[in-house]
Amino acid sequence: MGVYNLFNPHLSQTDYGTAEVVTQATNQIVMNCADIDIITASFAPQGGEEINATGFNYQNEDEKVTLSFPSALQKGSGTLKIDYVGELNDKMKGFYRSKYTAPTGEIRYAAVTQFEATDARRAFPCWDEPAIKATFDITLIVPKDRVALSNMNVIDRKPYPEDENLVEVKFATTPIMSTYLVAFVIGEYDFVESQSSDGVTVRVYTPIGKAEQGKFALEVATKTLPFYKDYFSVPYPLPKIDLIAIADFAAGAMENWGLVTYRETALLIDPKNSCSSSKQWVALVVGHELAHQWFGNLVTMEWWTHLWLNEGFASWIEYLCVDHCFPEYDIWTQFVSADYTRALDLDALDSSHPIEVNVGHPSEVDEIFDAISYSKGASVIRMLHNYIGDEDFRKGMNAYLLKFQHKNASTEDLWDCLEEASGKPIAAVMGSWTKQMGFPIILVDQEQVSNDRILKISQKKFCASGPHDGEDCPSWMVPISICTSADPTCTKLKVLLDRPETTITLSGIGPDQWIKINPGTVGFYRIQYSSSMLESVLPGIRDLSLQPVDRLGLQNDLFSLSRAGMISTVEVLKVMEAFVNEPNYTVWSDLSCNLGVLSSLLSHTDFHEEIQEFIRDLFTPIGLKLGWDSKPGEGHLDALLRGLVLGKLGKAGHKPTLEEARRRFKDHVEGKQVLPADLRSPVYLTVLKHGDSATLDTMLKLHKQADMQEEKNRIERVLGAISAPDLIQKVLNFALSEEVRPQDTVSVIGGVAGSSKQGRKAAWKFVRDNWEELYNRYQGGFLISRLIKLTVDGFAIDKMAAEIKTFFDSHPAPAAERTVQQCCENILLNAAWLKRDADDIHQYLLQRKAPPV
């Protein structure tokens, strides 16, 4: 039973009863507990006298409490009762309060939970570890005009005898489950409801008056549940599932069993005001969280070391699910740009870590919610799925879920089931990808002997600072596929490279055919071709005979090799120019990303304008082709591409784009012609980048008027583009104001740091000056890591790495320790890159404009 008070958050008194089995006589009980004051505790053995605890000893560092009893508790079962007071905190973890504005304009609070990884102990004393599973009977006593939700369906709702304004809401008993998946939400919400084809009641809860905005997520959820039921051959185990939008929410979403919580922007879609990328994001997040209902909730990882199993798997299958619901999104190509290349970049650092990490203290858990667990995890599962084949993969998954349902499992358990289903050496192959950090670079050379092509293939660890040339070079079991220009979409040969090098003969390949390794860009490695092989495959970019994902992969590998100093950046710029006919959104998106990195790097030189000109030249033809307005018959990807290209041209100062953006912005602000949602980000970005204080004021006014969180976030992310120093300062101060939700402050500061050299310096100074407040706000969570990464990753001077290290030595942030190391490493890599290639790049950019002699 719990009483909490929304007006005095520090008051919340609760009774907690738990059925215990004492396995050996003891006069102490140790359990997890944080920010909780116990008033009384007692133990009643079955059929025996109740014994009151006489002492409570809190170990705050370890988030534990020891209850001492005057006499030994005998073996057998009984009930432990605890009466305690907790706090409804403002930390976005545990049982916390979330601020929202009621339709009347008044500020109100909802009470919500976020327990993963180790914060159930802030709501009730418990054994807060994933492998200690139990059933939960939850009763909430709440104001009678509020919605009260938990994991299960309501079985009883009755007036509370001591106060007529309260009701007592009782929920059905949960299945056996882990503490981190327990949830409750109390607040004011509307909802939309539907039934999935397999009979599960699905509801999407939205802020009052916004039920319409829940319809898209509802449609995705009702399509997704049967898809997973079919894919896993295991039905969804609860009678209902609720998806709910929470105003203040640190993560994107949380997969609590039967009650999934989301940021508003990860769940709500307004057909008029939501852009295509928001719809896609909502579809992916819904797909991700619903996958966890099986993979994570029904079968849970043994310990946080295996977190990647949960997150890597859900991050892979969310794409499978979206591809099923929205084939027109071409989502698997986007996977390569969004997850695969991101993971390769992080994992090339010396400060990366293996997918499987030993975790001790709770503060270490938060830090593994990173791109290695999610994106590398998803990438190696994609590679594994491709290596095994869909049929055996599903067979193995089904065996795994049935064998471990309502229990816990480790990485090895999954490998065993997949090995049995496929007959392939899964554990041996996958161990090399999950237990050691990093990945290989595959070096390829060829010679033609009559009608045969002989390939020499070898592997080395790839490092962001260049290839690993040491004695003790790690090696991987690498599934390698090969295709040829005869059919670039079809794999001609598959081999498992299980040693440092090997030779392969492909017969019946004429000298005029090219060879491509890793078709579909599925294997988690980079490739360095011999120069003659590269020469022959590059035309496949210009004539589009390579599939889009491989055009993207080839360019991304070369870009990465240039950062590592293995080839000259000029070579990559020449390859980039071959993309002038490129029609594919994701390929452009990845190119744009890499040019952004280069542009940021060159902002430290005096020829930053020359790279802007290069960007304008590259993007102008596709910009002209697309134009500003959508044409009949265009789809999702055209909308994404138009937004990307116009934003890129606008930011780089393309005159016609800037003029048109200003014209449309003026009409938008005056209400003459509202901008379509897909054009807002590029237009806002363009006018701010080349704007003055009046532009910024108009933007802040739009922010204040925006009713939708998506629109507020859209504005927050681009505010940093403003260039005058005093206005940059104004944006930074705005980031910490009441106008910005606490989880969104990070993207405002990050936007400033990512926009310009001045912005980067100002943002870093701002973070230093406001460190106490920022750290208290996000302490221990992954938002602090994200803040640090966004703020300092772009520096390119050796001494900045030292300055940052010194700052964090004296202002420790344990949950972001690895992030700080990674940022310092990136800064040193940037500095080395600049020293090595800046002059050549400058020469190249000048001579490509020089009139031919």
Side-chain angles (χ1 to χ4, degrees):
M1 158 188 134
V3 179
Y4 73 92
N5 184 326
L6 278 183
F7 307 102
N8 178 358
H10 303 284
L11 202 72
S12 131
Q13 185 159 345
T14 305
D15 303 329
Y16 174 76
T18 171
E20 283 316 308
V21 177
V22 179
T23 51
Q24 58 187 51
T26 174
N27 64 350
Q28 288 191 331
I29 292 178
V30 182
M31 55 204 307
N32 291 115
C33 160
D35 299 337
I36 276 176
D37 289 323
I38 294 175
I39 300 161
T40 60
S42 65
F43 183 77
Q46 216 164 357
E49 282 290 289
E50 189 167 341
I51 308 167
N52 285 313
T54 44
F56 315 122
N57 181 14
Y58 299 95
Q59 294 96 49
N60 291 338
E61 273 301 286
D62 294 333
E63 302 182 347
K64 284 179 183 157
V65 65
T66 303
L67 311 177
S68 309
F69 293 85
S71 58
L73 310 177
Q74 297 309 312
K75 280 166 80 160
S77 39
T79 304
L80 175 66
K81 280 192 183 152
I82 302 176
D83 194 5
Y84 66 91
V85 174
E87 170 189 32
L88 206 50
N89 69 59
D90 285 323
K91 295 176 181 170
M92 293 193 284
K93 61 183 184 180
F95 193 15
Y96 71 92
R97 57 180 199 160
S98 165
K99 191 161 98 173
Y100 65 97
T101 310
T104 57
E106 135 191 37
I107 296 284
R108 292 189 185 162
Y109 291 93
V112 305
T113 57
Q114 167 61 35
F115 291 164
E116 189 178 23
T118 56
D119 293 314
R121 62 192 69 174
R122 291 174 198 280
F124 49 90
C126 56
W127 288 273
D128 198 9
E129 297 187 1
I132 307 179
K133 288 190 166 186
T135 60
F136 291 84
D137 292 282
I138 292 172
T139 301
L140 298 172
I141 293 160
V142 305
K144 63 183 182 193
D145 59 351
R146 293 293 194 268
V147 172
L149 301 169
S150 186
N151 305 80
M152 299 298 289
N153 46 308
V154 174
I155 50 172
D156 190 28
R157 184 185 170 99
K158 55 178 191 234
Y160 183 59
E162 292 165 38
D163 183 341
E164 62 192 32
N165 293 312
L166 299 176
V167 288
E168 189 171 317
V169 184
K170 189 171 185 220
F171 298 90
T173 304
T174 69
I176 295 174
M177 62 186 284
S178 303
T179 47
Y180 79 88
L181 294 165
V182 173
F184 20 93
V185 175
I186 303 92
E188 298 177 286
Y189 299 96
D190 282 341
F191 67 86
V192 283
E193 178 181 324
S194 183
Q195 289 260 327
S196 69
S197 59
D198 45 353
V200 181
T201 301
V202 185
R203 285 184 173 183
V204 175
Y205 283 87
T206 72
I208 296 282
K210 296 188 177 178
E212 283 289 301
Q213 295 179 17
K215 283 186 166 167
F216 178 73
L218 184 69
E219 178 193 327
V220 176
T222 42
K223 270 189 188 166
T224 297
L225 285 171
F227 171 72
Y228 286 148
K229 176 191 169 180
D230 181 49
Y231 196 83
F232 297 132
S233 307
V234 175
Y236 173 73
L238 308 186
K240 63 92 176 173
I241 188 160
D242 298 325
L243 290 71
I244 184 166
I246 305 292
D248 294 319
F249 198 74
M254 175 63 211
E255 69 267 19
N256 315 302
W257 215 357
L259 176 58
V260 186
T261 46
Y262 293 79
R263 275 191 184 197
E264 289 186 3
T265 49
L267 191 67
L268 304 180
I269 290 294
D270 170 357
K272 278 200 193 58
N273 291 299
S274 289
C275 58
S276 304
S277 59
S278 293
K279 282 178 82 162
Q280 179 175 304
W281 169 241
V282 168
L284 284 168
V285 179
V286 169
H288 180 101
E289 304 310 331
L290 295 191
H292 277 311
Q293 307 301 305
W294 285 261
F295 213 96
N297 302 8
L298 182 63
V299 177
T300 309
M301 70 247 146
E302 184 63 45
W303 178 243
W304 300 108
T305 298
H306 304 280
L307 170 80
W308 86 274
L309 259 190
N310 265 11
E311 297 305 347
F313 185 84
S315 301
W316 168 76
I317 206 164
E318 68 184 64
Y319 283 86
L320 199 69
C321 156
V322 167
D323 195 44
H324 163 78
C325 296
F326 304 100
E328 71 278 15
Y329 285 10
D330 181 29
I331 203 76
W332 279 115
T333 306
Q334 296 194 53
F335 174 89
V336 174
S337 183
D339 284 270
Y340 169 94
T341 56
R342 197 169 138 233
L344 287 170
D345 286 340
L346 180 55
D347 206 26
L349 298 177
D350 294 338
S351 50
S352 180
H353 62 87
I355 281 181
E356 295 185 61
V357 195
N358 287 322
V359 174
H361 194 269
S363 71
E364 297 168 21
V365 180
D366 279 326
E367 205 178 13
I368 57 173
F369 285 82
D370 67 357
I372 297 292
S373 294
Y374 284 74
S375 300
K376 182 180 182 181
S379 300
V380 300
I381 285 173
R382 175 170 167 260
M383 172 166 77
L384 170 68
H385 175 263
N386 182 266
Y387 172 61
I388 297 180
D390 191 60
E391 195 181 329
D392 287 348
F393 187 85
R394 287 171 74 159
K395 209 159 66 185
M397 291 304 315
N398 173 253
Y400 170 82
L401 288 169
L402 290 178
K403 183 172 177 183
F404 295 101
Q405 58 185 333
H406 302 297
K407 299 195 193 78
N408 295 75
S410 69
T411 303
E412 280 62 38
D413 294 322
L414 179 60
W415 297 162
D416 292 348
C417 292
L418 290 170
E419 195 153 310
E420 201 157 305
S422 66
K424 290 184 167 164
I426 305 304
V429 171
M430 295 308 287
S432 72
W433 298 95
T434 66
K435 291 186 186 310
Q436 59 182 2
M437 72 177 207
F439 58 88
I441 179 165
I442 304 295
L443 305 157
V444 197
D445 203 354
Q446 64 176 11
E447 65 174 311
Q448 185 77 23
V449 177
S450 68
N451 224 16
D452 294 347
R453 190 75 57 91
I454 298 165
L455 297 183
K456 191 176 159 224
I457 295 181
S458 63
Q459 59 164 309
K460 257 188 187 151
K461 178 178 182 339
F462 179 74
C463 300
S465 53
H468 183 289
D469 290 317
E471 285 306 295
D472 53 342
C473 191
S475 75
W476 284 261
M477 305 265 275
V478 193
I480 288 191
S481 330
I482 301 167
C483 72
T484 72
S485 47
D487 185 352
T489 59
C490 174
T491 296
K492 186 155 174 82
L493 184 69
K494 280 188 171 185
V495 292
L496 185 65
L497 177 64
D498 53 4
R499 60 196 67 156
E501 56 184 298
T502 189
T503 301
I504 298 167
T505 302
L506 291 168
S507 47
I509 305 255
D512 53 342
Q513 287 196 40
W514 49 252
I515 301 269
K516 163 93 179 62
I517 310 288
N518 202 13
T521 312
V522 176
F524 194 74
Y525 49 83
R526 294 207 179 275
I527 303 167
Q528 185 169 28
Y529 293 101
S530 66
S531 47
S532 69
M533 282 187 86
L534 189 61
E535 284 304 302
S536 67
V537 80
L538 282 178
I541 291 179
R542 205 179 273 277
D543 65 20
L544 307 180
S545 58
L546 273 169
Q547 37 179 352
V549 67
D550 289 331
R551 303 197 290 269
L552 186 162
L554 200 57
Q555 175 267 131
N556 197 285
D557 274 352
L558 292 170
F559 189 74
S560 182
L561 293 179
S562 73
R563 186 175 188 234
M566 294 162 73
I567 61 172
S568 160
T569 309
V570 170
E571 294 307 305
V572 188
L573 290 171
K574 288 178 183 165
V575 169
M576 285 176 165
E577 290 179 299
F579 281 90
V580 67
N581 311 316
E582 181 57 57
N584 184 283
Y585 160 70
T586 314
V587 178
W588 275 113
S589 167
D590 197 72
L591 242 145
S592 163
C593 213
N594 287 339
L595 281 165
V597 169
L598 207 53
S599 171
S600 170
L601 183 75
L602 298 177
S603 66
H604 301 277
T605 68
D606 53 7
F607 58 91
H608 190 231
E609 180 43 44
E610 275 76 348
I611 191 78
Q612 302 316 305
E613 190 179 2
F614 181 87
I615 292 170
R616 293 194 297 265
D617 288 348
L618 187 55
F619 279 80
T620 299
I622 179 84
L624 288 170
K625 198 167 131 212
L626 287 165
W628 277 81
D629 299 300
S630 54
K631 303 174 183 66
E634 279 189 351
H636 177 78
L637 293 163
D638 301 293
L640 291 179
L641 180 57
R642 178 174 289 109
L644 174 81
V645 171
L646 293 175
K648 203 72 180 168
L649 285 169
K651 194 176 176 189
H654 179 251
K655 282 275 191 308
T657 304
L658 174 56
E659 281 159 21
E660 184 62 10
R662 281 179 172 153
R663 189 183 71 75
R664 289 180 182 239
F665 182 66
K666 187 167 177 290
D667 286 353
H668 176 68
V669 173
E670 291 169 1
K672 282 187 195 151
Q673 177 81 51
V674 174
L675 277 166
D678 282 311
L679 289 180
R680 288 181 203 169
S681 278
V683 167
Y684 293 171
L685 176 74
T686 302
V687 297
L688 273 166
K689 176 81 185 160
H690 309 279
D692 54 16
S693 64
T695 321
L696 181 59
D697 289 343
T698 306
M699 219 57 179
L700 294 174
K701 202 167 94 197
L702 286 180
H703 180 276
K704 208 176 177 64
Q705 289 163 356
D707 176 45
M708 229 191 145
Q709 198 50 36
E710 178 189 326
E711 176 75 358
K712 284 190 188 294
N713 283 166
R714 184 182 286 134
I715 293 168
E716 287 159 4
R717 280 198 293 267
V718 297
L719 286 174
I722 200 89
S723 32
D726 55 325
L727 301 180
I728 289 177
Q729 208 45 53
K730 186 171 172 178
V731 170
L732 289 167
N733 294 332
F734 174 75
L736 271 181
S737 71
E738 286 288 303
E739 298 287 320
V740 178
R741 292 215 177 133
Q743 73 262 22
D744 299 321
T745 297
V746 174
S747 52
V748 181
I749 299 173
V752 171
S755 284
S756 61
K757 192 175 166 184
Q758 297 85 319
R760 197 173 299 122
K761 281 187 183 147
W764 168 232
K765 183 176 184 326
F766 185 78
V767 167
R768 287 198 317 264
D769 294 346
N770 296 278
W771 179 250
E772 298 308 304
E773 182 177 348
L774 289 163
Y775 186 66
N776 286 335
R777 199 184 259 206
Y778 307 120
Q779 60 187 2
F782 59 90
L783 281 172
I784 202 81
S785 298
R786 188 168 296 170
L787 173 72
I788 294 168
K789 184 174 166 46
L790 287 171
T791 311
V792 304
D793 229 17
F795 285 111
I797 307 155
D798 290 355
K799 73 170 199 299
M800 279 311 300
E803 179 181 314
I804 286 155
K805 187 182 177 314
T806 308
F807 179 81
F808 288 109
D809 283 346
S810 56
H811 300 80
E817 213 171 311
R818 187 180 277 123
T819 303
V820 172
Q821 290 169 355
Q822 289 166 349
C823 291
C824 292
E825 188 177 342
N826 270 326
I827 292 168
L828 297 175
L829 288 164
N830 287 342
W833 189 9
L834 208 51
K835 272 201 211 69
R836 196 175 53 237
D837 275 4
D839 289 346
D840 291 350
I841 296 171
H842 193 186
Q843 282 323 114
Y844 178 71
L845 293 175
L846 289 176
Q847 62 106 96
R848 64 182 275 281
K849 279 305 182 194
V853 185

